């Protein structure tokens, strides 16, 4: 079975499996999210929504994955404060 990911919405998982939230400085944003296990995922977020047009921010219409690289627009890149 093959899937054309350009036709499917894609999502990421915000979690804390290996302390990624602390490493990214985002742990405080999830302090009120209660999970059964401390290191359980905390949220999901969209990375690509095909054909959404005006329903979502424009950057979600850009397919972010390629064979050899991930393409994130400048507006999506998180920069240190």
């Amino acid at each position: 079975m093959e899937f054309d990911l350009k036709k499917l919405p894609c999502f990421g998982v915000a979690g804390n499996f290996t302390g990624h939230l602390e490493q990214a400085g985002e742990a405080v944003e999830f302090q009120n999210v209660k999970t059964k296990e401390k290191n359980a995922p905390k949220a999901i977020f969209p990375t690509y929504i095909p054909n959404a047009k005006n329903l979502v921010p424009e950057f979600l219409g850009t397919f972010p994955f390629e064979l050899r690289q991930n393409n994130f627009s400048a507006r999506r890149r998180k920069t240190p404060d």
Side-chain angles (χ1 to χ4, degrees):
M1 181 182 301
E2 291 186 21
F3 294 98
D4 182 355
L5 290 180
K6 290 185 177 183
K7 294 181 180 179
L8 299 172
C10 298
F11 296 87
V13 177
N16 208 25
F17 179 65
T18 57
H20 290 137
L21 293 176
E22 286 82 9
Q23 292 171 9
E26 298 174 337
V28 70
E29 296 175 32
F30 295 91
Q31 66 186 2
N32 293 326
V33 176
K34 305 299 180 203
T35 58
K36 186 174 181 178
E37 298 175 13
K38 179 182 178 184
N39 292 335
K42 304 296 187 261
I44 62 170
F45 58 92
T47 57
Y48 173 66
I49 306 294
N51 302 315
K53 306 288 183 214
N54 298 325
L55 300 176
V56 299
E58 184 178 337
F59 69 85
L60 288 174
T62 302
F63 188 72
F65 309 110
E66 294 295 336
L67 182 61
R68 291 187 168 81
Q69 66 183 18
N70 291 336
N71 298 311
F72 293 102
S73 68
R75 290 179 49 202
R76 291 179 77 168
R77 292 185 191 124
K78 186 169 184 171
T79 56
D81 294 331

